[in-house]
Amino acid sequence: MNQDMFINILSHSPVSVVEKFRHLNKECNQRTYTSSFLKLHLQRTNSISGYFLQYSERLTLHSTFVEALGNRPCGTEVSLDFLPPGKVKIEACDSSHGILLCVNDRPVRGRQPEYVICKPTTKQYLILPKPKTRYFTVALGLMVIGSNPFRYKIIRLSDLPYMENRRYNINTTFVCDVFDSVSFAWKRLKNFELLEDDLLSPWNSKPIASYGFLHWLTTRNNVIRFCFETETWSYSPVPENLASANSLNLTSYEGKLGIISSRSKEGVDCEDLWVLKSIFGTSWVNVKEIENKGLKSVGFLSNDVVTLADVDRICLYNMNNGKSQNLEIRAPKFSPSHYSTIIYFPIFSDYQRVEFDGR
């Protein structure tokens, strides 16, 4: 079977099948991340892609879905309106499966926030057991680790106060809890300690998933990563020439871990995309130079299109032909002058129901 025929067959296949073959063949990986393949795949599998935008307006948190590709069934809206009432905040996502982890701070005195797993396209949700919230939550991460049966895990990092650290050192120490949908319970892991004088970047608190790991960037440009299979932590160095850079952001590119660095070229703002060649390696490759048009890169829905955004605009920029397409933000309360920060959660999702509680 030639490669073209094989790629055509994959365009009819579920995302779980596509992901398996991406890991087996480099050419297959590259071709299944092109915008042309993704558009065809979304069409043939009745799926959509886009971003959930989360922003605060006058101290009230809002979210809205911005569609980028796909075929949304007529009369359907992708939103979080189906969740129980309260102050719903998106905390983590598994982009390739369209699954979100939300925290719902319901307006009931003395009641702890609810942890909710959901799939917006099918309007399914499940309220999870509450973790022990004695410590302040710093970051949350989510990963689907099995599709048949459906299985997912959640990692929660919280600050360990200095006075409770038995080692009495000044290094930042995190309490780590993991939720497994199989046991349907939280489990306390060994505390994780950052390197000396290091902190978790507040602007990089949303992890990037790649090959079974979740990655965070620290203030000293160290990449910390958590493996859901072994439930252990490790470090991955950034490119040596970026070790002291001030404006790095993690991203995902062709399923691999990437870093976006900003610089000026002949008076024009641009960005470089670096990609880690192997999950267990330390070699980085500069694969793209992005003319960001004064906007900020927020992600790659494909390997030839970058998503650029500003406070009142989000667009798709084709890096091959230089063409851009503005995306429509359908949110009546979207008022850029009233907020300062937007968080972007990329989503690829079909309309097939999942079994959140498969015990």
Side-chain angles (χ1 to χ4, degrees):
M1 183 184 301
N2 64 42
Q3 191 76 5
D4 291 338
M5 186 178 297
F6 180 65
I7 295 297
N8 183 60
I9 293 174
L10 281 182
S11 68
H12 293 270
S13 305
V15 65
S16 57
V17 175
V18 176
E19 286 185 339
K20 288 180 180 179
F21 282 98
R22 281 171 171 168
H23 295 167
L24 297 176
N25 184 283
K26 181 178 180 181
E27 182 182 356
C28 175
N29 186 67
Q30 292 177 339
R31 292 187 62 176
T32 55
Y33 274 110
T34 62
S35 56
S36 58
F37 173 85
L38 291 174
K39 289 178 182 179
L40 187 61
H41 181 256
L42 292 171
Q43 178 183 358
R44 289 177 170 177
T45 58
N46 187 29
S47 304
I48 62 170
S49 73
Y51 291 87
F52 264 99
L53 276 58
Q54 183 166 266
Y55 56 96
S56 179
E57 180 191 30
R58 297 174 181 173
L59 302 180
T60 301
L61 204 61
H62 299 282
S63 66
T64 186
F65 180 72
V66 177
E67 188 175 353
L69 301 170
N71 298 276
R72 180 166 49 89
C74 182
T76 63
E77 290 291 336
V78 180
S79 71
L80 299 181
D81 293 345
F82 63 95
L83 295 179
K87 298 179 181 178
V88 176
K89 181 181 181 182
I90 305 173
E91 289 287 1
C93 72
D94 185 302
S95 300
S96 61
H97 294 86
I99 307 297
L100 299 180
L101 172 67
C102 300
V103 173
N104 189 356
D105 191 2
R106 303 186 70 178
V108 178
R109 180 175 295 180
R111 188 165 184 171
Q112 293 181 343
E114 293 178 336
Y115 282 65
V116 184
I117 191 86
C118 68
K119 186 173 182 178
T121 53
T122 59
K123 301 187 185 303
Q124 293 175 267
Y125 73 88
L126 179 67
I127 298 176
L128 304 177
K130 297 180 179 68
K132 294 182 179 179
T133 54
R134 176 183 176 188
Y135 305 111
F136 178 75
T137 301
V138 176
L140 287 158
L142 164 71
M143 182 172 288
V144 174
I145 58 177
S147 57
N148 188 22
F150 191 78
R151 184 185 181 188
Y152 55 92
K153 285 187 177 184
I154 299 167
I155 176 73
R156 175 178 178 261
L157 300 182
S158 49
D159 267 328
L160 180 67
Y162 169 73
M163 294 304 296
E164 295 188 32
N165 189 342
R166 294 181 180 180
R167 295 182 60 185
Y168 290 102
N169 58 40
I170 61 175
N171 294 352
T172 300
T173 303
F174 293 126
V175 176
C176 306
D177 297 283
V178 167
F179 178 85
D180 190 336
S181 61
V182 171
S183 63
F184 208 68
W186 292 88
K187 177 177 65 175
R188 175 81 176 265
L189 302 182
K190 182 180 179 182
N191 292 348
F192 175 63
E193 182 180 308
L194 294 182
L195 299 177
E196 186 176 356
D197 298 327
D198 211 354
L199 298 169
L200 191 63
S201 297
W203 54 90
N204 273 295
S205 61
K206 305 306 176 188
I208 298 298
S210 174
Y211 296 130
F213 290 79
L214 288 182
H215 304 78
W216 288 265
L217 186 67
T218 70
T219 55
R220 295 182 66 85
N221 289 344
N222 292 307
V223 176
I224 58 173
R225 59 189 182 186
F226 180 77
C227 176
F228 274 108
E229 182 178 353
T230 61
E231 297 184 346
T232 56
W233 292 91
S234 58
Y235 281 88
S236 178
V238 301
E240 186 175 352
N241 60 312
L242 300 179
S244 58
N246 296 320
S247 56
L248 301 183
N249 288 288
L250 296 185
T251 190
S252 177
Y253 184 80
E254 293 185 347
K256 301 175 182 178
L257 179 66
I259 289 180
I260 298 175
S261 62
S262 302
R263 62 183 174 88
S264 179
K265 179 181 178 181
E266 299 177 353
V268 177
D269 291 336
C270 65
E271 296 173 322
D272 290 318
L273 171 63
W274 297 77
V275 172
L276 187 62
K277 293 180 64 176
S278 168
I279 186 61
F280 297 110
T282 59
S283 178
W284 295 78
V285 180
N286 189 340
V287 297
K288 294 284 184 181
E289 180 182 277
I290 307 165
E291 295 183 10
N292 55 19
K293 311 296 182 181
L295 304 176
K296 178 184 177 182
S297 299
V298 296
F300 297 86
L301 293 180
S302 66
N303 57 14
D304 50 3
V305 174
V306 59
T307 306
L308 303 175
D310 202 349
V311 292
D312 59 351
R313 178 188 175 197
I314 182 169
C315 72
L316 304 180
Y317 176 72
N318 191 303
M319 296 176 286
N320 291 336
N321 58 28
K323 295 182 179 180
S324 62
Q325 172 193 352
N326 288 329
L327 302 181
E328 183 179 1
I329 302 176
R330 301 177 183 176
K333 297 181 180 180
F334 189 77
S335 303
S337 60
H338 294 155
Y339 60 83
S340 57
T341 302
I342 305 177
I343 303 176
Y344 301 85
F345 294 91
I347 289 291
F348 289 83
S349 183
D350 58 24
Y351 285 82
Q352 299 296 316
R353 293 179 65 83
V354 296
E355 187 63 52
F356 282 129
D357 186 4
R359 294 172 293 166

